[in-house]
Amino acid sequence: MKIGNNITISLTPTEIKELIAEKCREQGYTTVEAKDVSFDVGTELRGYGMAEHEEVVFRGCTIHSKRG
């Protein structure tokens, strides 16, 4: 019998930004901070007719920095 463990990890937007900034610093972009990371979030229409509705979607992430 194989018994697996499940875990749920909840991250705030600030924590995600810090993780991204940390990875950038590891790649040589030493000046990147969490404040330099921004998320592009918007809405899109989904469904058809009476079931059409707006859903929030993640479109991407932008990081502003110079390699240094």
Side-chain angles (χ1 to χ4, degrees):
M1 176 188 312
K2 183 176 180 179
I3 300 174
N5 293 325
N6 294 326
I7 185 170
T8 300
I9 299 173
S10 298
L11 299 170
T12 66
T14 303
E15 292 169 327
I16 295 169
K17 287 179 178 186
E18 186 53 50
L19 288 170
I20 292 169
E22 183 177 319
K23 184 63 175 176
C24 290
R25 289 191 297 269
E26 289 174 5
Q27 297 297 315
Y29 295 89
T30 58
T31 62
V32 176
E33 296 180 23
K35 66 178 179 62
D36 301 319
V37 179
S38 62
F39 300 125
D40 182 10
V41 179
T43 58
E44 291 182 0
L45 287 175
R46 302 279 170 96
Y48 181 76
M50 295 293 290
E52 190 173 61
H53 60 282
E54 285 189 347
E55 285 187 10
V56 177
V57 293
F58 174 73
R59 294 187 177 138
C61 174
T62 303
I63 303 156
H64 301 280
S65 183
K66 294 180 182 177
R67 185 170 230 153

